[in-house]
Amino acid sequence: MSEMPKTLTGRCLCGAVRYEADAPFRPVSVCHCRQCAQWTGAFVMATSVAADRFRLVSGDASLGWYSASEIAKRGFCRNCGSSLFWKPNDATRISIMAGTLDPPTGLKLDHHIFVADKSDYYDILDGLPQEAQWSAMPKPPAGTS
């Protein structure tokens, strides 16, 4: 694995929404909850960064937000439908869908959450830690809030 860049960039499928974020990043979590599955058609892999380290570069008019629950909203491209972000209502951090990041990222999978909610058509065989639900917010990298 290469060293993680200090700034990561990413975009939606059509390129209308472009963003960048500055390190440090949380390792990638894999979420198997029903809401993520319904939003994307599968499980979600995401990293996160402090909200003040995230910048929308272009596409403000194309970025839509859906209040999926009482605790968070989900960001998507209004043009191509790409699932991009998960943002808690307290807005201290923003989760970024790992597949929307431009490689190389230097990121690594860390653990699985909501595995009790996963569908029956796949198994988790990577040996990473698994949480039946979501016991707590995944810890941000050392030295961050």
Side-chain angles (χ1 to χ4, degrees), residues 28 30 108-112 124-131:
V28 176
V30 184
K108 191 169 183 154
L109 289 179
D110 186 60
H111 69 284
H112 298 263
I124 303 169
L125 303 172
D126 59 14
L128 293 174
Q130 299 180 23
E131 293 182 51

Side-chain angles (χ1 to χ4, degrees), residues 8 84 90 100 102 122:
L8 294 178
L84 298 167
D90 69 10
T100 67
D102 299 322
Y122 66 95

